[in-house]
Amino acid sequence: MKKKYEASTEEKHLEIVNIASLEKRVKDHMSNEKGAFGYIRGGSEDEWTMKQNTEAFSKKKIMPRVLQGIDHADLSTKLWDIDLKTPIIEAPSAAHGLAHAKGEVDTAKGVADAGSIFSMSTYGSTSVQDAAAAAPDAPQFFQLYMSKDDKFNEFLIKEAVKAIVLTVDSTLGGYREEDIINKFQFPLPMPNLAAFSEGDGEGKGISEIYAAAKQGIVPSDIQKIKDMSGLPVIVKGIQSPDDAELAIDFGADGIWISNHGGRQLDGGPASFDVLPAIASAVDKRVPVIFDSGVRRGEHVFKALASGADLVAVGRPIIYGLNLGGAQGVTDVINHLNMELSITMQLAGTKTINDVKNNQLLD
């Protein structure tokens, strides 16, 4: 008989010295589920781009200002009409049930408690409805992996709350060697798939899951999804200024700069390296969201100072979920908030707008 997958049931606050240290703690905590940990942690091929995502932040330096009369930092900000306590949001990711028995329900609660935005993935371990019910007063987005079947696309997005995150960099899976070595297959069903068809993703690898996705995404698909949903569409996976221009020309309401945390194209640039040029091309016409490699409040500061409006975090939030459930998720965001607050005050920037006006040094 096949062994039943047993995810963490922890519900507790975490003591965090730094975000990078969480990975080892989660690896030890998930020692009996190494394939699941490898799926969460891993990148594609040699993981060069994944490593560059974090290392790229060291290429820029913060210009500190003193004598500014700042005794505390104000992290509050907005996206459209959404008030946020922090510029740090959750980057959507699949299958939170691998990390915790309550999956996206706990993630949604934890993100809401931090005053931030949760994004539900098409390939989540929880239904859109259950995640929304877990934090009914909080803003939630829906990350759409566009299907070849428009009826399925319509079915998925009808439950979305505030916006659609149209992911365009994952028309097939990157070559993730750790998953191959571990022969990883999803041990849990994906309710959003199961609710529409007989298949639910259980027992399949990521390449099999992506096989149902639309490979030939085109610019006109942005307006198609806007028309289907009646919601703003943020295009996620932008890595070049030309694509940002193209997406905006075809109706994008936001640009999400990301290389999928180094899980797709290895050998491509770090997200932080392309952020300034893309932000310049966008020229404040729509909000710019940034992710990939963020492990410090200092990284959040540098991304905001380079043109991002919001900064998203992926793996660290999953690590917090595994170690502490909803409270662990909140703790990860709050730790980054604490580091960001210190960086802001020492840099002489009181508000998020002040951070955006800080000039980084090469």
Side-chain angles (χ1 to χ4, degrees), residues 44-278:
S44 61
E45 297 187 10
D46 295 319
E47 300 186 342
W48 183 87
T49 295
M50 185 179 81
K51 294 167 188 170
Q52 286 294 305
N53 278 335
T54 298
E55 292 174 8
F57 290 106
S58 297
K59 298 176 184 177
K60 293 285 188 178
K61 297 180 266 308
I62 298 167
M63 170 62 81
R65 294 294 311 279
V66 296
L67 303 174
Q68 302 297 302
I70 298 171
D71 59 3
H72 72 281
D74 179 2
L75 272 59
S76 64
T77 189
K78 290 176 75 80
L79 176 70
W80 302 317
D81 62 345
I82 304 170
D83 291 317
L84 300 169
K85 293 181 181 178
T86 172
I88 301 165
I89 67 171
E90 180 250 1
S93 54
H96 291 201
L98 297 175
H100 197 277
K102 292 186 179 178
E104 288 82 358
V105 164
D106 261 17
T107 312
K109 286 180 181 176
V111 172
D113 286 346
S116 186
I117 297 172
F118 166 76
S119 294
M120 179 72 199
S121 172
T122 297
Y123 303 138
S125 304
T126 304
S127 69
V128 179
Q129 299 93 325
D130 286 348
D137 298 321
Q140 291 190 10
F141 293 168
F142 180 73
Q143 181 203 26
L144 176 67
Y145 284 93
M146 197 171 182
S147 172
K148 296 170 185 173
D149 184 345
D150 275 339
K151 289 183 180 179
F152 184 39
N153 293 325
E154 288 188 74
F155 169 79
L156 286 173
I157 63 182
K158 71 179 182 180
E159 299 292 343
V161 180
K162 280 284 187 180
I164 304 296
V165 179
L166 177 61
T167 297
V168 295
D169 64 350
S170 301
T171 53
L172 77 167
Y175 188 67
R176 304 177 192 174
E177 293 183 10
E178 193 157 358
D179 290 351
I180 294 167
I181 292 167
N182 291 324
K183 297 181 172 57
F184 177 72
Q185 296 178 321
F186 288 98
L188 299 168
M190 297 177 178
N192 297 318
L193 303 185
F196 185 79
S197 63
E198 294 180 3
D200 63 5
E202 186 174 357
K204 293 182 179 179
I206 190 64
S207 295
E208 294 174 273
I209 298 291
Y210 277 143
K214 182 176 181 179
Q215 276 76 53
I217 297 177
V218 293
S220 59
D221 286 327
I222 298 169
Q223 190 63 50
K224 176 189 284 188
I225 297 303
K226 289 182 70 168
D227 292 342
M228 281 183 185
S229 66
L231 293 170
V233 171
I234 302 167
V235 179
K236 181 178 184 291
I238 297 296
Q239 297 165 67
S240 89
D242 290 343
D243 283 341
E245 292 275 12
L246 189 62
I248 292 171
D249 287 347
F250 278 83
D253 299 288
I255 295 296
W256 193 313
I257 300 168
S258 173
N259 58 31
H260 222 88
R263 293 163 74 78
Q264 290 297 99
L265 174 66
D266 199 31
S271 287
F272 184 65
D273 284 342
V274 298
L275 169 58
I278 295 174

Side-chain angles (χ1 to χ4, degrees), residues 322-361:
N322 173 258
L323 296 170
Q327 295 173 80
V329 168
T330 304
D331 290 340
V332 166
I333 297 174
N334 284 342
H335 180 86
L336 288 168
N337 284 342
M338 178 270 292
E339 289 187 354
L340 176 60
S341 295
I342 292 171
T343 302
M344 286 173 65
Q345 188 168 339
L346 293 177
T349 51
K350 184 177 179 65
T351 69
I352 298 303
N353 279 336
D354 292 339
V355 176
K356 292 178 182 180
N357 290 323
N358 185 277
Q359 297 296 312
L360 299 182
L361 303 175

